[in-house]
Amino acid sequence: MTDQVPAAENLSPTDEALSVLQNQFPNAVRRDDRDGYSGIVVDPARLVEVATYARDSLGYDYLSSATAVDYLGKGDHLEMVYHAYRTTGGAALVIKAQTDREAATLPSLTPVWPGANFQEREAYDLMGIRFEGHPNLKRILLWEGFHGHPLRKDWKEPYYEQEQKPFDSRWPNGRVVRSEEHNPYGKNVQYPDDFDLDGYTSPAEAAVYEEMNLGVDIRSDLATERMVVSLGPQHPSTHGVFRMVAQINGETIQQLEPVMGYLHRNHEQIGERNTFLQNMPFTDRLDYFCSLSNNLGYAIAVEQLMSLGARYQPPTYRAEVLRVLMAELTRIVNHMVAIGFLLNDLGAFFTPMMYAMIERELILDFFEAVTGSRMMCNYMRFGGTAMDLPERIRGEANLVNDRVRDFNTMEFLRELILERLPRAVDQINEYLTTSEIVTNRCIGVGVLPRADAIALSTAGPVLRASGVAYDVRRAEPYSIYPELEFDVVVRDHGDIYDRYLVRIEEMIESLKILRQILPKLEETQGQPFFAGRGGIYSPRVPAGESYGRVENPKGELGFYIVSDGGQNPWRYHVRAPSFINLTALERMSKGYKIADAVGILGSIDIVLGEVDR
Amino acid sequence: MTDNGKDFLRELHDPEAPVPPELQSSVAVTSFGRLLSTVYNWGRRNSIWPMAFGLACCAIEMIATAASRFDQSRFGMEVIRASPRQADLMIISGTVTKKMVVPIVRLYNQMAEPKYVLAMGACAIGGGPFKEGYNVVSGIDKYLPVDVYVPGCPPTPQALLYGFIALQKKIDQQMLTNPNSVPWYGRGPSEAVPLPILGPDVIDPRQAHMLRRRAGAAGQEAAASPAAESDLEAEA
Amino acid sequence: MYGLGIWRGLRVTLKHFVNTYIEDVKWGFRRHIPAEAFPARQGLDARGVFTVEYPDEKLAVPERFRFIPFLVVENYDHPERPGHDWCTSCGICAKVCPPQCIWIVRGEDPETGRPVPEPEEFYIDIDICMNCGLCAEFCPFDAIKMDHDYELASYDRTTAHIFDKARLSKEFRYWQAIAPTRAAEEAEARGGWEHKDVLKAKAKAAKASE
């Protein structure tokens, strides 16, 4: 049986670090002794000092997540929560700093951990905390000029209906009404008193170019001209609605700023309104290539919280086997498509993409038969999975011209894992890895040195291609990964080609895991796939906080959840790997040609649903 | 054209209308214009070029539709253009956020007529599961005229193909002889959709008058009673 | 040797190209491949790429497939209660629905004003529904199920996209047809093919007669 709570030997170094910090800064640091909370609360005035000490002397060099929580009515303060890790593995050092709600200001930790850059901007955007010393503090997901800070608990959106779900208007007297019809004009929007549409120019666009030194600026010693290029949000190689604003000199990138928020669909705010279970299908839509591993991350985070309470039953062994099976198949799907997209970005018009999609369709057939949907699987539950594997993969002819396929599930899976997918991976290797076009475009381009990769909080293949052997499956194991044998793939150069190779090798490692999973699946056939009684739609989640993280195909996916003991999470934050990996985009692209920026972006492998949430 | 003629045309527009017995099993050329329309529409509906424009999750299903298993090139739609100038069809494949609606409207205005909009998935149609969010537009049809809605979250590739067939049927019914059946056979170029403005919230210029009225009212309301529920009821 | 990698790549593409035709040769280049060839072409053994010719042949969706929900009603030729709702308007689906797209008006006895186990009205806004299937999963009466009909494209959303009770209701027979295995499993869990309440009433009647 497995346990999501870090084992005792993992806890002790963290405890040790905490007491060292307390001794070192006796007046500034105190333990967070609220029920269900962990870590330390630091005096904001000495936050930078404490963080520097934790990084340099205690070895917490990797900042995983930084987020803000609004404790309105529970102390009336805003709290910034940092989760720092050692790249050698182990549990988190949780640092918190509190500030007043009215004039919320905290020192920026970007000098200590540059990876905090975007996360602090997000906290400023959505929570309204000003960070002193931040190099570029402006809105990141919303636009400049937006009214208020939407994640604050007293902020209400235009179609505000009720604080928490389920809404009372749905039952027992639910006369249907479309919210935009009975509230045709968002009434909660506050316009300034002197607001006048005729004379109004939106500050949104101007803010994007603010730091970019717009205007003609030809230096006498250079024959080239500086200009600013805006790529996106509609551009075939930005993987969705991402936008890059680059200042280029000739063709060389001098400055590059990712502009995002074009798919910001308020995941976190909706998540705080949902019940714990209702969030599960929403997590599908984060990284929509990997819905199953998103499910897993969220399930682990909530199970961590539930384990604090009484009557908690950990997932059964069968459930863990199924979870790992799904997570690893997802990894293969993702990496295959990621490589297809990368090649698309490099100019191979759709052929690698099409080949990747063929294999993806076959895996999706399996997902669809097991979970009911191709992409939005909604499969994991707290304590197990929603369903077991079906005996056969088949459908019934329902519509005109329906053609029925009928496979035995286990045989299908065996053939998929043992024959079809290895062959597909070999094929990618054969036609891409040694291709001169690929090597010429990729080797030595977009280099991210090891130290920068850690400092900028990159995760997943990006981090591992820069020579850091950090994989959550090994660093802080979850589910049944400790029993499984696989290697953490590492490469040293940190260029596009290495990121590509890491993905290929990770697929091979995933296949290795899947081969070990197959006998386990057969052994556990018929065992319960869900712990405890089914049919509970409002699980008991005790008050407290938890940070559950999994190694998603794109990197470390974390869920920071605060519960006040009610049906809905008080705070629900997603540490999205794609979002934080973009922090490193400027560092990677600087000095390369604008044409390479597209390939570099492809090699990070972002998904906009996760970047903007 | 006489009234009778109009009725007849309307009947042709109605896909449910029964084919008169004397016309069954024979091609009827009732007028040159109609023949021209038929040939013209046949050409148009079999060469719809969509714009390469993915918004969110549905875009992945759109790519799956374009890929080999479902292969939308069977409908003459494989030429996916990155430039709006060369595209006939805009597939709104995913959540339309307030920040994104500005570029979308701009892209739509740049498309050459005749142009079609297909709203794919619950989000594009009506905001979908993210409707309650503060940055989500409840349906692209608030800004653009939508021709076909494909529900689902996400619609499977087959559902999208069904939507394409629905669009082809719609094109088949558009008559050169009847300027009212489509906006672009009329006089001159049609008017561009005004660009939304990113203010404190997204502002549709077409609703500016409403904004002025509401802004005044909201100020008074907020001062009088901040209780949100009672407000909602009063409005419903 | 420079260029070897590209040559290798081209060899793979050529292989794909040829594979596609090998399978077609087997079926004599017929435009529509017979139904028995379909599983092989859309399965793991297929070499090459095969297209589902959508309107002429469709991939049947698996049993667990979920699209917009529908309401189970008793078969229209049911001897005792034809067309009777299985739904008891308990409201669990409306409570558990993540995007809150279900509206239910609970049925009330016009005389006593007490709730009756039948919904008066039932709406699902399919523009909000996220096809997650939680309503079907947590329905204690097996009364709401996820449909398999994905062909819903329409030209107008204002009138067609809020499904009312009449539009949502489908016979129990339909559910048995699209998901035989699951329907059987559920019937086993209930203790019979009838609705839970009917079974309960029967058990009660049997007890009383004893």
Side-chain angles (χ1 to χ4, degrees):
Chain A
M1 201 60 50
T2 62
D3 48 354
Q4 258 80 50
V5 188
E9 66 268 18
N10 281 350
L11 263 179
S12 54
T14 316
D15 273 347
E16 206 182 296
L18 288 181
S19 32
V20 170
L21 280 174
Q22 258 175 322
N23 291 336
Q24 198 72 23
F25 306 93
N27 301 323
V29 171
R30 64 179 169 83
R31 293 257 180 163
D32 190 348
D33 44 17
R34 289 171 288 183
D35 264 351
Y37 285 73
S38 62
I40 47 170
V41 181
V42 181
D43 178 14
R46 304 190 66 185
L47 181 62
V48 178
E49 221 178 306
V50 173
T52 315
Y53 185 82
R55 183 193 65 182
D56 295 340
S57 306
L58 299 176
Y60 286 95
D61 48 357
Y62 182 77
L63 178 76
S64 168
S65 151
T67 187
V69 189
D70 181 5
Y71 285 100
L72 177 69
K74 296 181 183 344
D76 283 331
H77 55 262
L78 290 172
E79 187 174 278
M80 198 67 196
V81 187
Y82 302 90
H83 284 81
Y85 289 87
R86 292 181 170 124
T87 40
T88 47
L93 174 70
V94 189
I95 301 175
K96 289 162 193 168
Q98 297 175 341
T99 176
D100 191 45
R101 290 186 85 247
E102 292 312 312
T105 321
L106 281 173
S108 168
L109 283 190
T110 37
V112 188
W113 291 300
N117 186 338
F118 284 7
Q119 307 190 56
E120 284 184 347
R121 274 178 71 186
E122 188 193 330
Y124 162 69
D125 189 355
L126 303 181
M127 284 283 194
I129 304 179
R130 295 204 71 83
F131 291 92
E132 280 166 359
H134 191 284
N136 184 18
L137 193 66
K138 58 186 181 193
R139 287 190 184 262
I140 186 165
L141 295 177
L142 294 162
W143 60 91
E144 218 49 61
F146 189 81
H147 68 115
H149 301 284
L151 277 190
R152 288 205 177 192
K153 289 281 177 188
D154 50 2
W155 191 93
K156 290 186 172 58
E157 76 273 12
Y159 297 148
Y160 178 82
E161 185 161 355
Q162 201 175 319
E163 202 51 63
Q164 286 176 336
K165 286 178 187 172
F167 295 148
D168 295 333
S169 62
R170 301 297 195 266
W171 181 86
N173 212 349
R175 305 271 171 201
V176 69
V177 65
R178 283 191 161 135
S179 59
E180 70 267 28
E181 280 164 12
H182 82 160
N183 192 5
Y185 194 76
K187 67 158 60 176
N188 291 318
V189 185
Q190 278 138 31
Y191 292 91
D193 289 339
D194 55 343
F195 187 75
D196 174 26
L197 193 60
D198 298 327
Y200 186 77
T201 40
S202 172
E205 278 301 287
V208 170
Y209 298 106
E210 213 169 48
E211 303 276 310
M212 284 290 165
N213 310 321
L214 257 187
V216 186
D217 176 29
I218 307 168
R219 277 154 52 187
S220 56
D221 55 326
L222 283 173
T224 49
E225 195 180 338
R226 271 193 193 178
M227 59 190 276
V228 172
V229 175
S230 167
L231 245 97
Q234 191 262 337
H235 189 277
S237 60
T238 51
H239 298 217
V241 287
F242 180 67
R243 179 174 173 195
M244 298 187 269
V245 177
Q247 190 221 75
I248 55 175
N249 189 339
E251 275 192 59
T252 312
I253 298 171
Q254 288 191 324
Q255 208 181 338
L256 184 142
E257 197 185 308
V259 181
M260 39 193 131
Y262 292 98
L263 191 54
H264 178 51
R265 38 189 187 184
N266 328 320
H267 190 87
E268 291 181 6
Q269 193 222 27
I270 294 174
E272 282 162 26
R273 189 161 295 159
N274 285 345
T275 63
F276 283 96
L277 180 73
Q278 285 173 347
N279 269 335
M280 191 58 86
F282 276 95
T283 60
D284 289 338
R285 285 148 180 89
L286 275 173
D287 172 355
Y288 29 78
F289 280 109
C290 320
S291 63
L292 281 157
S293 33
N294 297 343
N295 284 179
L296 177 58
Y298 179 62
I300 282 177
V302 177
E303 278 163 10
Q304 251 179 43
L305 257 180
M306 284 165 75
S307 69
L308 300 174
R311 283 185 296 159
Y312 164 72
Q313 284 172 305
T316 59
Y317 191 74
R318 170 84 174 166
E320 296 285 17
V321 172
L322 286 173
R323 284 176 173 193
V324 173
L325 167 78
M326 292 308 198
E328 293 305 321
L329 278 175
T330 304
R331 195 180 310 278
I332 294 176
V333 171
N334 179 75
H335 283 349
M336 237 169 221
V337 177
I339 288 170
F341 270 126
L342 170 68
L343 265 289
N344 239 15
D345 292 346
L346 295 177
F349 196 72
F350 274 107
T351 308
M353 186 74 223
M354 294 273 186
Y355 291 176
M357 290 305 259
I358 297 169
E359 311 304 324
R360 178 177 182 265
E361 287 289 338
L362 293 171
I363 300 177
L364 256 50
D365 277 346
F366 175 69
F367 285 171
E368 194 180 25
V370 177
T371 69
S373 184
R374 288 157 52 87
M375 286 170 70
M376 307 305 173
C377 297
N378 183 21
Y379 184 57
M380 314 280 176
R381 296 286 178 269
F382 315 126
T385 62
M387 284 172 272
D388 207 337
L389 298 184
E391 214 158 278
R392 301 195 75 81
I393 297 180
R394 71 167 277 138
E396 292 297 324
N398 177 30
L399 304 167
V400 191
N401 291 335
D402 257 357
R403 297 283 158 85
V404 176
R405 292 174 301 165
D406 190 359
F407 307 109
N408 180 302
T409 309
M410 282 312 290
E411 274 169 26
F412 184 90
L413 207 51
R414 218 171 290 132
E415 195 178 339
L416 185 74
I417 292 167
L418 299 179
E419 286 168 37
R420 180 83 197 202
L421 291 177
R423 207 163 59 215
V425 175
D426 283 350
Q427 181 195 297
I428 295 181
N429 231 340
E430 188 187 343
Y431 79 99
L432 293 179
T433 307
T434 54
S435 171
E436 281 79 4
I437 302 174
V438 175
T439 51
N440 283 359
R441 285 294 305 270
C442 295
I443 292 180
V445 176
V447 176
L448 184 69
R450 184 178 195 276
D452 287 351
I454 298 172
L456 290 166
S457 301
T458 57
V462 180
L463 182 67
R464 287 192 285 276
S466 294
V468 186
Y470 192 78
D471 187 322
V472 183
R473 290 174 293 175
R474 283 285 185 248
E476 198 184 5
Y478 53 93
S479 200
I480 54 166
Y481 282 109
E483 318 176 2
L484 298 167
E485 193 202 318
F486 67 99
D487 297 326
V488 176
V489 181
V490 191
R491 292 259 155 187
D492 298 323
H493 301 102
D495 53 7
I496 298 182
Y497 193 62
D498 273 8
R499 289 193 274 277
Y500 159 81
L501 285 179
V502 164
R503 294 209 168 91
I504 297 259
E505 281 164 31
E506 272 188 13
M507 282 196 276
I508 295 170
E509 292 302 318
S510 284
L511 286 171
K512 207 193 239 172
I513 295 175
L514 287 170
R515 274 196 289 274
Q516 298 168 50
I517 285 289
L518 277 178
K520 286 183 201 292
L521 264 181
E522 266 153 37
E523 276 164 31
T524 57
Q525 197 118 46
Q527 289 176 16
F529 55 90
F530 188 83
R533 207 158 57 84
I536 299 172
Y537 54 88
S538 55
R540 262 174 189 286
V541 182
E545 61 167 7
S546 79
Y547 183 64
R549 52 187 200 141
V550 289
E551 186 67 32
N552 233 29
K554 298 197 164 60
E556 175 188 332
L557 174 76
F559 287 90
Y560 177 71
I561 294 170
V562 177
S563 164
D564 62 349
Q567 278 202 1
N568 313 57
W570 180 260
R571 177 81 175 101
Y572 165 79
H573 172 73
V574 185
R575 185 250 188 244
S578 305
F579 174 65
I580 296 168
N581 282 352
L582 281 176
T583 320
L585 181 65
E586 182 172 19
R587 173 69 190 78
M588 285 183 204
S589 320
K590 229 180 220 175
Y592 296 99
K593 301 278 185 273
I594 185 81
D596 290 331
V598 171
I600 292 167
L601 183 71
S603 76
I604 300 180
D605 182 19
I606 57 164
V607 149
L608 264 293
E610 199 176 56
V611 173
D612 295 339
R613 280 153 293 150
Chain B
M1 202 174 279
T2 62
D3 282 354
N4 280 341
K6 263 185 192 163
D7 277 352
F8 186 67
L9 266 183
R10 198 175 317 126
E11 225 166 58
L12 271 188
H13 284 260
D14 182 9
E16 304 291 311
V19 180
E22 69 272 18
L23 292 186
Q24 282 170 1
S25 78
S26 67
V27 180
V29 181
T30 46
S31 80
F32 182 69
R34 203 163 294 135
L35 174 70
L36 195 66
S37 291
T38 311
V39 174
Y40 178 64
N41 285 341
W42 173 83
R44 275 188 328 131
R45 78 170 158 89
N46 287 319
S47 62
I48 306 167
W49 290 7
M51 188 159 77
F53 180 56
L55 285 176
C57 335
C58 287
I60 310 303
E61 286 298 59
M62 191 176 79
I63 295 170
T65 315
S68 30
R69 184 183 255 182
F70 298 102
D71 195 13
Q72 65 190 34
S73 64
R74 292 179 295 121
F75 297 83
M77 300 176 96
E78 79 276 28
V79 194
I80 298 171
R81 298 275 95 173
S83 159
R85 295 282 184 210
Q86 302 162 342
D88 307 311
L89 169 66
M90 188 183 216
I91 303 174
I92 312 278
S93 53
T95 318
V96 181
T97 61
K98 289 178 181 169
K99 201 171 176 179
M100 192 60 201
V101 75
V102 186
I104 290 177
V105 172
R106 193 177 290 143
L107 287 166
Y108 178 78
N109 287 341
Q110 287 173 4
M111 282 167 70
E113 290 178 329
K115 54 188 171 186
Y116 299 92
V117 176
L118 187 145
M120 177 185 182
C123 291
I125 298 172
F130 297 97
K131 182 176 186 165
E132 61 193 281
Y134 49 84
N135 192 27
V136 175
V137 174
S138 340
I140 189 63
D141 57 355
K142 283 189 150 184
Y143 292 90
L144 308 179
V146 177
D147 294 284
V148 178
Y149 299 91
V150 184
C153 189
T156 59
Q158 303 195 81
L160 181 61
L161 289 177
Y162 184 77
F164 288 157
I165 295 172
L167 179 68
Q168 290 190 331
K169 278 187 186 155
K170 183 163 192 166
I171 293 175
D172 267 342
Q173 288 161 33
Q174 294 181 335
M175 285 302 194
L176 280 171
T177 44
N178 182 3
N180 298 328
S181 69
V182 271
W184 40 80
Y185 297 149
R187 246 174 265 119
S190 63
E191 252 174 65
V193 180
L195 277 188
I197 299 161
L198 290 176
D201 196 24
V202 80
I203 301 165
D204 190 344
R206 290 173 295 193
Q207 293 177 343
H209 61 282
M210 216 161 127
L211 165 79
R212 287 201 190 89
R213 215 175 57 228
R214 291 296 310 233
Q220 289 161 12
E221 242 171 61
S225 84
E229 270 97 326
S230 62
D231 279 11
L232 277 179
E233 239 134 75
E235 222 161 278
Chain C
M1 197 187 81
Y2 199 81
L4 203 66
I6 294 176
W7 186 78
R8 263 195 216 119
L10 290 175
R11 205 175 55 192
V12 170
T13 14
L14 183 72
K15 210 160 74 191
H16 269 264
F17 179 77
V18 173
N19 275 342
T20 314
Y21 286 101
I22 288 178
E23 184 75 12
D24 274 356
V25 167
K26 222 155 94 191
W27 299 101
F29 287 99
R30 260 181 284 175
R31 173 150 159 69
H32 296 301
I33 305 297
E36 64 267 24
F38 190 77
R41 286 164 77 93
Q42 296 302 333
L44 294 173
D45 300 324
R47 298 289 166 98
V49 184
F50 302 105
T51 301
V52 181
E53 303 271 343
Y54 166 68
D56 303 322
E57 53 178 27
K58 299 172 184 172
L59 266 181
V61 291
E63 266 190 40
R64 291 179 179 180
F65 182 75
R66 39 193 159 79
F67 219 62
I68 310 292
F70 71 93
L71 289 174
V72 178
V73 299
E74 210 68 79
N75 290 338
Y76 293 126
D77 55 0
H78 191 273
E80 285 133 45
R81 29 182 250 166
H84 195 280
D85 294 300
W86 279 43
C87 175
T88 61
S89 72
C90 69
I92 285 180
C93 49
K95 281 179 203 147
V96 78
C97 174
Q100 298 283 298
C101 70
I102 300 178
W103 280 262
I104 305 172
V105 179
R106 188 171 54 192
E108 267 175 20
D109 197 313
E111 282 162 27
T112 58
R114 294 183 43 169
V116 293
E118 204 173 347
E120 204 173 292
E121 284 168 53
F122 199 109
Y123 301 101
I124 291 178
D125 189 340
I126 64 165
D127 294 348
I128 302 180
C129 177
M130 68 200 292
N131 307 165
C132 66
L134 288 185
C135 50
E137 191 177 327
F138 289 100
C139 178
F141 299 99
D142 298 322
I144 187 165
K145 292 288 165 207
M146 303 307 278
D147 206 348
H148 287 191
D149 183 7
Y150 48 81
E151 296 182 336
L152 293 172
S154 65
Y155 299 118
D156 176 29
R157 89 172 176 105
T158 48
T159 52
H161 280 198
I162 292 180
F163 284 12
D164 58 4
K165 206 170 117 185
R167 173 76 175 76
L168 287 167
S169 297
K170 288 188 177 173
E171 281 181 290
F172 180 59
R173 190 177 287 136
Y174 176 74
W175 173 240
Q176 279 174 304
I178 61 172
T181 323
R182 289 188 66 201
E185 277 168 16
E186 285 160 7
E188 201 187 314
R190 280 199 305 271
W193 283 103
E194 302 279 343
H195 186 263
K196 233 182 193 174
D197 285 352
V198 177
L199 291 171
K200 226 189 252 169
K202 272 187 185 160
K204 217 173 173 183
K207 220 176 194 181
S209 67
E210 263 170 26

